[in-house]
Amino acid sequence: MTDTPAPTGRQAILRAARRAFALHPYAEVTLRGIAADAEVSASLIVKLFGTKEELFARTTDFSADADELLDAPLDGLGRHLVLTLVRTRRQRRTDPLLRVVFALGTEDERTLLRDRFREQVTTRLAALLPGDDPLLRAELVVGQLLGLGAAASIHREDGAIGEASPERLADLYAPGLQRLLDGA
Amino acid sequence: MTDTPAPTGRQAILRAARRAFALHPYAEVTLRGIAADAEVSASLIVKLFGTKEELFARTTDFSADADELLDAPLDGLGRHLVLTLVRTRRQRRTDPLLRVVFALGTEDERTLLRDRFREQVTTRLAALLPGDDPLLRAELVVGQLLGLGAAASIHREDGAIGEASPERLADLYAPGLQRLLDGA
């Protein structure tokens, strides 16, 4: 996790927005608060993302991340998933999927986050899979990916995952993913 | 996820306490609030768990869960981990590990939760593993387990994981775990 560039204003805003919507009820979140956290002006947020509602919709959208994660042939998808997830975490200092876990255990508007995730990530992946029980296997693949991000975060940058190369992580973690994808 | 019994007072208190400490700063958490959430009296909490500090220490302890998860020979540990995690989730309506993810992204006293988790789960597992990079492989095993709980929660009880038997989940998800445990 060295040599990571500072996030751009756009990335800093998205990160601050995800944090704000994860930690506080929608009604309590303000663009002013997000701007302060992102160290930008509120007017820059409005210029880049529009209203609070539009920013919320953007933070609950996983389709661009799913595009990148799923951009490989099925027979190499396990490895591509690990490499893409790890590189995205390191380059952008954010996990492409993990924000969905902050929606666990709540029953308010964050239900939207789970529903979007299922539709944009899990169901889309399941449609690519041959063999039996594609939805079950897709849910388990998604779980294994969420777990990689969670383990990297819990064990921090000085943990063994943080110190390992993306290729080494793919060597260890991708075979289990590929097995689920293949339905062997 | 049918036929799960209602949680006992003790389990309801622990669940409410984990939720309270995950969602609010320590100073803002009260035994009265936890009691209301658990639908018990505050005096029952004091009787069973003692002070707020003692209850907090209890909610950040993973050693009893690690005892159960790791109670199998290494050559069958992958399957035992999946079966134990799934059965615990269904019988107790709580995940043995997943509460640690609520400590992500915060920098206050919840750091303790991550540190305890590393010590009581990851480091303990690493000490059991033969082969190269045992700590890295232990972090990845822990990730895969956290991901199973996260995926089950995100996709809800009517999702494919929620509908599958523990044995079917072990058939699909344990081989990847066992490979990491064996260091093949």
Side-chain angles (χ1 to χ4, degrees):
Chain A
M1 301 279 281
T2 52
D3 297 329
T4 42
T8 65
R10 173 180 289 273
Q11 288 170 339
I13 291 165
L14 281 174
R15 238 186 14 217
R18 286 167 186 165
R19 193 157 39 217
F21 290 121
L23 295 174
H24 307 286
Y26 181 81
E28 289 177 16
V29 174
T30 64
L31 290 187
R32 195 180 303 267
I34 292 170
D37 190 22
E39 298 182 346
V40 301
S41 66
S43 61
L44 181 65
I45 299 182
V46 174
K47 186 180 160 197
L48 291 174
F49 296 100
T51 64
K52 181 173 96 168
E53 192 175 344
E54 288 166 322
L55 183 60
F56 179 70
R58 180 62 181 272
T59 66
T60 56
D61 194 284
F62 292 92
S63 55
D65 291 310
D67 286 345
E68 291 179 4
L69 286 165
L70 299 178
D71 185 24
L74 191 66
D75 64 2
L77 187 55
R79 189 166 186 90
H80 175 80
L81 286 167
V82 175
L83 292 174
T84 305
L85 187 119
V86 172
R87 289 177 181 151
T88 299
R89 287 183 57 90
R90 294 184 183 183
Q91 286 162 11
R92 295 189 211 149
R93 294 190 199 171
T94 187
D95 190 287
L97 301 177
L98 197 59
R99 62 188 183 277
V100 74
V101 304
F102 293 114
L104 297 180
T106 64
E107 292 304 334
D108 60 2
E109 70 280 341
R110 280 173 271 180
T111 302
L112 174 66
L113 189 64
R114 289 197 300 266
D115 291 347
R116 284 272 189 95
F117 185 92
R118 290 167 70 144
E119 176 193 321
Q120 296 182 335
V121 183
T122 315
T123 308
R124 183 171 161 191
L125 173 61
L128 302 174
L129 301 185
D132 293 337
D133 290 336
L135 185 60
L136 174 59
R137 285 156 46 219
E139 289 186 8
L140 292 172
V141 166
V142 163
Q144 213 180 310
L145 290 175
L146 288 171
L148 179 55
S153 296
I154 289 160
H155 301 98
R156 299 279 128 171
E157 298 183 12
D158 60 345
I161 292 175
E163 301 283 349
S165 70
E167 290 72 22
R168 175 75 174 133
L169 293 170
D171 290 345
L172 288 168
Y173 208 66
L177 282 170
Q178 192 64 47
R179 192 179 175 282
L180 288 166
L181 293 166
D182 293 336
Chain B
M1 300 279 282
T2 52
D3 296 331
T4 42
T8 65
R10 171 180 290 273
Q11 288 169 339
I13 291 165
L14 280 174
R15 239 188 10 218
R18 287 169 185 165
R19 195 156 38 216
F21 290 121
L23 295 174
H24 306 287
Y26 180 82
E28 291 178 16
V29 173
T30 64
L31 291 187
R32 194 180 304 266
I34 292 169
D37 188 24
E39 299 183 345
V40 302
S41 66
S43 61
L44 180 65
I45 299 182
V46 174
K47 186 179 160 197
L48 292 174
F49 296 101
T51 64
K52 180 172 96 168
E53 192 175 345
E54 288 167 321
L55 183 60
F56 178 70
R58 180 62 182 273
T59 66
T60 56
D61 194 285
F62 293 92
S63 54
D65 291 310
D67 286 346
E68 291 179 4
L69 286 165
L70 299 178
D71 184 24
L74 190 66
D75 64 1
L77 187 54
R79 190 166 185 90
H80 175 81
L81 286 167
V82 175
L83 292 175
T84 305
L85 187 115
V86 173
R87 288 176 181 152
T88 299
R89 286 183 57 90
R90 295 183 183 184
Q91 287 162 10
R92 295 188 212 150
R93 294 190 198 173
T94 186
D95 190 287
L97 301 176
L98 198 58
R99 63 188 182 277
V100 74
V101 304
F102 293 114
L104 297 180
T106 64
E107 292 304 333
D108 60 2
E109 71 278 341
R110 279 171 273 181
T111 302
L112 173 66
L113 190 63
R114 288 196 300 265
D115 291 346
R116 284 271 190 94
F117 185 92
R118 290 167 70 145
E119 177 192 321
Q120 296 182 335
V121 182
T122 314
T123 308
R124 183 170 161 193
L125 172 61
L128 302 174
L129 301 185
D132 293 337
D133 291 335
L135 186 58
L136 175 58
R137 285 155 48 219
E139 288 186 9
L140 292 172
V141 166
V142 163
Q144 214 181 311
L145 291 175
L146 288 171
L148 179 55
S153 296
I154 289 160
H155 301 97
R156 299 279 129 171
E157 297 182 14
D158 60 346
I161 292 175
E163 301 284 348
S165 70
E167 291 72 21
R168 174 76 175 133
L169 292 170
D171 290 345
L172 287 168
Y173 208 67
L177 283 170
Q178 192 63 46
R179 192 178 175 282
L180 289 166
L181 294 165
D182 293 337

